[in-house]
């Protein structure tokens, strides 16, 4: 019988402590703000990705390894940028092959997204 009363008193104390912790916070948050589940991939948005960007890229680790969705997103973006560059290089190479170059034989081709010089 004494054990029963001890357990009941312990239960009341625990419930009271949890209630006070939840209500007693007032205007302050009891728990800190949670960090977003996903983070930005760290690749530049305003310029093409370069080798140094890939070397510096560190994907966050989840409890069971990398988050597959984040890895897929980064790989998809890299693949799209590489495909865009390959298409631009093929276009510029074809354009340079079809038109005659300057008289000294030097060809000036701009390989950035802006176009030819």
């Amino acid at each position: 019988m004494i054990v029963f009363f001890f357990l009941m008193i312990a239960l009341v104390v625990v419930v009271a402590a949890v209630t006070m912790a939840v209500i007693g916070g007032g205007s302050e948050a009891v728990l800190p703000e949670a960090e977003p589940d996903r983070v930005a991939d760290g690749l530049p948005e305003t310029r093409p990705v370069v080798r140094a960007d890939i070397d510096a890229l560190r994907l966050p680790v989840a409890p069971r390894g990398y988050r597959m969705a984040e890895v897929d997103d980064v790989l998809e973006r890299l693949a799209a940028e590489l495909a865009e560059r390959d298409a631009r290089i093929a276009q510029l190479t074809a354009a340079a092959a079809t038109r005659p170059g300057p008289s000294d034989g030097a060809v000036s081709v701009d390989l950035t997204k802006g176009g030819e010089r």
Side-chain angles (χ1 to χ4, degrees), residues 37-60:
D37 188 34
R38 296 178 52 118
V39 296
D41 61 17
L43 297 175
E45 295 289 334
T46 58
R47 62 175 173 79
V49 176
V50 296
R51 174 67 188 253
D53 296 328
I54 303 301
D55 291 340
L57 182 64
R58 296 293 176 258
L59 298 172

Side-chain angles (χ1 to χ4, degrees), residues 60-85:
V61 178
R64 291 180 51 194
Y66 289 100
R67 290 187 173 106
M68 291 185 346
E70 289 185 20
V71 174
D72 290 344
D73 291 345
V74 170
L75 291 176
E76 183 178 323
R77 173 151 180 231
L78 289 173
E81 285 203 22
L82 289 174
E84 181 182 336
R85 285 184 190 176

